[in-house]
Amino acid sequence: MYTPGKLDAVMDSDFGLGFLPIPKRTLFADDKQTLSEDDDSGLGMECAVDLTSDEDTSSSMIASLLERPFACFSPMEIQRPKKRSERMMEPMDESARKRPRFAERTKTLQKSLSFGDKPLGDQEQVKDVVGRMVEESNLIGDGSQTCSLPTIPGKHPDLKSITNQTVVDVISGKYDDTIGSFLIVDCRYPYEYNGGHVPGAINAHRPEDIPSILSQHQSMRTAASDKRHIVIFYCEFSSERGPRMCRNVRKADRDLNKDSYPFLNFPEIYVMHNGFKDFYETHQNLCEPMGYTPMLHKDHSDDLRHFRSKSKSWSGGSKRRVSGSRLF
């Protein structure tokens, strides 16, 4: 129940007795009236009545207030707190205008550009290329086209593997309609290469040989004209040395063209599956010279020791294992 002091507070408030709302609906169970969908929400009347000329009615209203302290008034009479969004819409004073809101200040901050500090347009293009390379496994290194050669699941998921028959088809000109120039890289040690290799292959097994491979880009690009130019790597089994050279050439190519990503001198590179051993067994008559010298040949133990010491320093003394991710 309201006390007289509380009544005085009500009379002094915005709900003066000269303009008191009549509580048409309340939330009490003793109201005998029932609500319908066409009535108001039960929180009070939507209008008010001027009671200044009727003292009896005013007294009755005061008694009603005393008996029903929780009777609800019309929502129009009660000022609810403004939401934050409404407060933000109110006009600001001069000092507030000079001080931009935090949300406005953050718009001036720019995210650092990646992929060679490309402008926004190029960056969007780069994101599109990377997205394609993630979703499609048969794209070349710059994401522009699918591979011109048929690939197979190889020993290295991050590399594109082809069969030795596909290599023979490239050499014989079967893919001349799409491939304008090609380079075959034998990554075995010199004594193995000299014992027999794929026709037309060059020998490159050291890290110092990577720049010479990349330097052939311009002449191969010119020879290919509007066709593809590709590089094929292999070693004895295409398990370690060939894939390692392939990865390091791609890494050096990326570093060389880091300001023009995803451009590459050689976007299309392959590894010959199962290496020269398998090639010799199926195409012995094509080998130059017609022979096969294994890495562990007893007559080349000193050569093996020498070249292995060089290769261990290149690979950090341990073999590199890559699985699960493709080579971009």
Side-chain angles (χ1 to χ4, degrees):
M1 295 290 293
Y2 267 76
T3 62
K6 291 184 179 180
L7 178 61
D8 293 339
V10 172
M11 296 178 64
D12 292 337
S13 67
D14 293 336
F15 304 104
L17 294 180
F19 195 69
L20 284 172
I22 298 176
K24 179 181 177 182
R25 297 286 185 265
T26 66
L27 301 181
F28 291 92
D30 58 346
D31 269 329
K32 302 302 182 180
Q33 300 171 341
T34 58
L35 299 180
S36 66
E37 291 183 357
D38 296 330
D39 292 329
D40 62 275
S41 63
L43 296 179
M45 294 184 61
E46 298 297 329
C47 61
V49 179
D50 188 358
L51 303 177
T52 55
S53 62
D54 193 342
E55 296 180 357
D56 294 337
T57 307
S58 300
S59 302
S60 176
M61 189 63 209
I62 294 172
S64 176
L65 287 173
L66 294 175
E67 294 174 359
R68 298 169 179 258
F70 296 102
C72 297
F73 298 100
S74 169
M76 296 179 61
E77 297 298 326
I78 301 176
Q79 296 295 325
R80 61 176 177 81
K82 293 183 179 180
K83 297 181 179 179
R84 182 183 178 187
S85 58
E86 295 176 347
R87 294 199 304 269
M88 293 179 67
M89 296 296 293
E90 294 180 352
M92 298 180 294
D93 57 19
E94 190 64 26
S95 61
R97 288 194 186 95
K98 294 181 180 179
R99 185 177 66 255
R101 296 187 182 95
F102 176 77
E104 296 175 350
R105 293 200 304 271
T106 55
K107 292 181 181 179
T108 62
L109 301 178
Q110 294 184 354
K111 188 177 181 180
S112 59
L113 298 177
S114 57
F115 304 116
D117 293 331
K118 291 288 183 181
L120 182 59
D122 292 343
Q123 188 179 10
E124 293 300 323
Q125 182 181 4
V126 166
K127 290 180 180 178
D128 180 64
V129 170
V130 173
R132 288 187 60 197
M133 289 191 290
V134 170
E135 295 175 359
E136 303 178 40
S137 61
N138 202 37
L139 294 179
I140 61 177
D142 61 5
S144 61
Q145 305 175 82
T146 57
C147 297
S148 59
L149 299 179
T151 60
I152 62 172
K155 303 174 183 178
H156 307 274
D158 60 315
L159 305 177
K160 301 290 191 299
S161 297
I162 58 177
T163 64
N164 56 61
Q165 182 58 52
T166 300
V167 176
V168 172
D169 292 340
V170 171
I171 296 172
S172 62
K174 181 178 178 179
Y175 294 97
D176 283 355
D177 57 333
T178 56
I179 297 176
S181 62
F182 62 89
L183 178 67
I184 302 177
V185 182
D186 188 321
C187 304
R188 297 177 299 162
Y189 301 138
Y191 66 88
E192 299 173 83
Y193 174 82
N194 294 331
H197 55 265
V198 174
I202 66 169
N203 185 220
H205 65 96
R206 305 171 304 169
E208 295 83 9
D209 297 326
I210 294 176
S212 65
I213 295 173
L214 294 174
S215 67
Q216 300 188 52
H217 160 70
Q218 190 57 52
S219 60
M220 291 179 63
R221 179 71 272 174
T222 302
S225 184
D226 58 342
K227 298 180 182 180
R228 311 279 190 95
H229 62 297
I230 67 173
V231 184
I232 301 172
F233 299 86
Y234 74 88
C235 57
E236 184 173 5
F237 305 105
S238 289
S239 296
E240 178 62 28
R241 292 174 291 175
R244 181 177 62 195
M245 177 65 78
C246 181
R247 292 187 184 102
N248 280 284
V249 167
R250 171 55 58 82
K251 182 180 183 301
D253 202 351
R254 284 286 187 215
D255 292 341
L256 187 64
N257 296 285
K258 62 183 179 181
D259 294 330
S260 54
Y261 187 95
F263 177 81
L264 289 166
N265 287 356
F266 294 108
E268 196 165 355
I269 57 179
Y270 301 93
V271 172
M272 185 174 72
H273 186 62
N274 287 336
F276 184 74
K277 182 180 184 297
D278 192 55
F279 185 91
Y280 179 78
E281 292 175 353
T282 55
H283 302 93
Q284 181 177 345
N285 60 317
L286 296 179
C287 297
E288 298 177 349
M290 192 182 300
Y292 165 45
T293 302
M295 182 183 72
L296 299 177
H297 196 286
K298 61 181 181 179
D299 294 338
H300 296 278
S301 57
D302 292 339
D303 295 329
L304 174 61
R305 190 178 301 108
H306 169 74
F307 291 118
R308 264 193 167 173
S309 63
K310 296 288 186 180
S311 64
K312 284 184 178 179
S313 62
W314 181 18
S315 61
S318 61
K319 294 183 178 181
R320 178 180 179 179
R321 299 295 182 188
V322 177
S323 62
S325 60
R326 291 194 299 275
L327 179 64
F328 287 169

